[in-house]
Amino acid sequence: MTLERIDLLLTGIGRLVTPPGSVPRYGGEMRSVSEIEHAAIAIRGDRIALFGPQGDVLTQLNGAEIVETLDAGGRMVTPGLVDPHTHLVHGGSREHELSLKRSGVPYLDILAQGGGILSTVKATRAASEQELYDKARKSLDIMLLNGVTTVEAKSGYGLTLEDELKQLRVAKRLHEEHPVDVVPTFMGAHAVPPEYKGRPDEFVELLVNEMLPEVARKGLAEFCDVFCEQGVFTAPQTRRILQQGKRYGLIPKIHADEIETLGGAELAGEIGAISAEHLLAASDEGLRMLAVNGVIPVLLPGTSFNLGLKQHARAREMIDTHQLPVALSTDYNPGSCPTESIQLIMMLASLNLRMVPEEIITACTINASAAIGRAHDIGSIEAGKRADLTLFDVPNIAYLPYHFGINHTFGVIKNGKVTVWDRQIKGRKNAGER
Ligand code: NIG
Ligand code: FE
């Protein structure tokens, strides 16, 4: 890239932290991140042109035209965070189920009684497209203010062709209109809808023969996900749906072995899924299958925390024994994990998954980007990659999981543009966090 003209020069970076490279970081590699003190980053258009110690960058830019220079004020800068597993677009909320949940009624029992996911299905079907958009947009603002620049968003609260398309159209519109990139996943197999109660195989046929082809024809999804769980979809049903998805060009993902051991991890390996999510109850063989087949485990410690589960995903074994490239995500949804805060997830990854800060930052950047097939473009600070950067008001990465429950993000640069500064979304009146 020619250095004759730089659109934005970010100077005064107290500490620049990034995983190196443009591929996922496996096992022990997750601990090694590049750290540069007193750094600068030069941006041209929407791409990183150059980064390094500030003195070196300025020397290399000698004679270049610099359109704008911005002082990071000694703050820490990382790649823009990536949240690779969310249920962003949905109607309503489920606080009415809180006391039931806290009195010990299990998540799957609430679902079996027609609540849980099915309660959100009712609310999502009843909501207009504009209502869904307005609600999801607020969440996306919060994510952006927390330092997230790319988000995956699943459908799965419509469960009819028209209602699934409605959710996916909202995700598309958000991607086009909001600064945060939204990556769409079709998850029509999130639950068996009430009208198919007791006839799950018939619903699977509807998914396979009508919904999937239409979603793919309209180009509204990149990935296909299934909730493979006791009382939801079996492993053979999951296989059938994901194989059909593959035929239509949708890359498989699986909500695998979240609560019961159903062979979801093994299936993710067998079918060549890009990622397997949750994995609390995954077997040793399942983890081995993930490793052998290059599947990325996406761990969601906010969900196990909020469901009050004693069990957590075996992150240490995944990283240390199986050398897996672990990613982290919020799983933002109205039931099992109603939070947009990736920084809370970092804290929980430290507390309950025993991941170290370097692993956590790797899991929220390059490995998260790999879980949605974008490691070549985002997730690390590299010349030529997209200029998505997050500025934190912290001295180092350990400070993020350490000082918890607040938002440390000061600024966000998205596609080379200053999008959040001084904790405000630029160009928005009264944008601040709710
Ligand atoms: O990832 N487990 C299934 N799906 C979501 C929860 C959805 C909901 O409860 O609304 C999850 O936890
Ligand atoms: Fe989920």
Side-chain angles (χ1 to χ4, degrees):
M1 193 176 299
T2 165
L3 296 176
E4 279 159 20
R5 181 194 149 113
I6 291 301
D7 293 305
L8 179 63
L9 177 63
L10 187 64
T11 59
I13 299 169
R15 183 179 291 271
L16 182 156
V17 185
T18 182
S22 295
V23 292
R25 303 283 286 167
Y26 291 85
E29 292 173 352
M30 290 180 68
R31 270 181 198 251
S32 58
V33 293
S34 318
E35 301 205 34
I36 307 171
E37 288 181 30
H38 309 298
I41 303 175
I43 295 167
R44 187 180 157 108
D46 64 358
R47 300 282 142 183
I48 296 167
L50 180 67
F51 73 99
Q54 183 159 318
D56 296 359
V57 169
L58 294 181
T59 307
Q60 286 193 62
L61 289 182
N62 193 13
E65 178 197 350
I66 295 167
V67 178
E68 188 189 353
T69 302
L70 200 56
D71 182 2
R75 295 185 175 85
M76 183 176 88
V77 174
T78 69
L81 304 179
V82 177
D83 195 342
H85 177 142
T86 85
H87 303 256
L88 175 70
V89 182
H90 59 262
S93 54
R94 305 230 288 273
E95 66 278 17
H96 57 276
E97 289 176 355
L98 188 63
S99 12
L100 201 62
K101 223 158 84 175
R102 296 300 179 234
S103 71
V105 182
Y107 178 77
L108 291 176
D109 289 9
I110 299 178
L111 175 61
Q113 290 162 20
I117 295 174
L118 293 177
S119 139
T120 301
V121 168
K122 215 178 278 169
T124 304
R125 287 178 177 179
S128 71
E129 204 157 319
Q130 186 61 40
E131 284 164 344
L132 293 180
Y133 175 87
D134 291 342
K135 181 173 163 60
R137 183 174 179 271
K138 278 187 193 158
S139 287
L140 215 46
D141 281 354
I142 297 173
M143 290 172 172
L144 174 62
L145 287 162
N146 273 268
V148 173
T149 48
T150 302
V151 162
E152 183 256 18
K154 302 174 195 298
S155 68
Y157 293 117
L159 311 185
T160 64
L161 174 59
E162 203 30 63
D163 289 304
E164 288 292 306
L165 292 176
K166 177 170 76 170
Q167 274 188 278
L168 291 168
R169 281 193 303 264
V170 169
K172 180 168 190 267
R173 191 176 148 206
L174 287 165
H175 175 67
E176 288 163 357
E177 295 178 4
H178 196 279
V180 172
D181 284 331
V182 179
V183 176
T185 295
F186 172 60
M187 199 178 179
H190 195 194
V192 178
E195 56 278 15
Y196 281 87
K197 197 171 174 179
R199 300 181 293 136
D201 282 327
E202 286 177 43
F203 183 60
V204 171
E205 289 314 301
L206 177 77
L207 278 164
V208 159
N209 297 321
E210 288 175 36
M211 293 207 215
L212 264 171
E214 193 56 16
V215 166
R217 201 184 62 76
K218 289 197 149 65
L220 282 170
E222 215 172 295
F223 301 96
C224 182
D225 199 343
V226 177
F227 189 15
C228 180
E229 184 58 71
Q230 194 70 54
V232 192
F233 294 98
T234 63
Q237 288 167 339
T238 304
R239 183 185 289 107
R240 170 133 170 80
I241 296 160
L242 293 178
Q243 264 167 355
Q244 176 79 340
K246 268 169 85 167
R247 269 180 220 118
Y248 282 92
L250 302 184
I251 301 164
K253 286 176 170 283
I254 309 185
H255 279 59
D257 303 317
E258 175 181 357
I259 296 161
E260 303 283 341
T261 309
L262 234 62
E266 287 87 336
L267 179 58
E270 172 204 312
I271 201 154
I274 190 165
S275 66
E277 339 282 302
H278 292 288
L279 300 167
L280 272 67
S283 69
D284 289 338
E285 175 60 10
L287 297 189
R288 211 186 56 77
M289 290 279 284
L290 297 183
V292 168
N293 295 285
V295 183
I296 298 184
V298 177
L299 306 187
L300 311 162
T303 306
S304 37
F305 171 70
N306 183 56
L307 291 180
L309 304 177
K310 287 199 185 62
Q311 202 179 355
H312 301 287
R314 295 187 281 152
R316 283 270 49 99
E317 279 172 70
M318 292 180 193
I319 296 171
D320 300 334
T321 310
H322 297 279
Q323 297 292 307
L324 279 159
V326 167
L328 287 164
S329 180
T330 57
D331 193 17
Y332 167 61
N333 73 72
S336 66
C337 200
T339 182
E340 294 91 344
S341 173
I342 192 70
Q343 292 177 54
L344 173 63
I345 302 309
M346 291 181 174
M347 187 277 182
L348 294 170
S350 158
L351 179 73
N352 289 332
L353 304 185
R354 309 273 168 209
M355 289 170 68
V356 301
E358 291 78 5
E359 291 168 341
I360 291 171
I361 206 76
T362 299
C364 291
T365 54
I366 193 73
N367 286 2
S369 73
I372 49 171
R374 279 165 172 68
H376 60 283
D377 193 43
I378 55 173
S380 62
I381 299 176
E382 288 277 321
K385 285 187 94 169
R386 197 171 288 278
D388 290 359
L389 305 166
T390 299
L391 287 81
F392 290 103
D393 259 326
V394 304
N396 53 56
I397 42 171
Y399 203 90
L400 288 173
Y402 156 75
H403 185 152
F404 69 94
I406 65 155
N407 180 12
H408 293 288
T409 299
F410 172 86
V412 176
I413 293 173
K414 173 66 191 163
N415 290 331
K417 300 243 164 3
V418 182
T419 305
V420 173
W421 198 255
D422 201 9
R423 298 172 179 267
Q424 297 283 319
I425 298 178
K426 296 270 279 185
R428 294 258 191 93
K429 289 199 185 95
N430 307 320
E433 213 166 341
R434 288 174 306 164

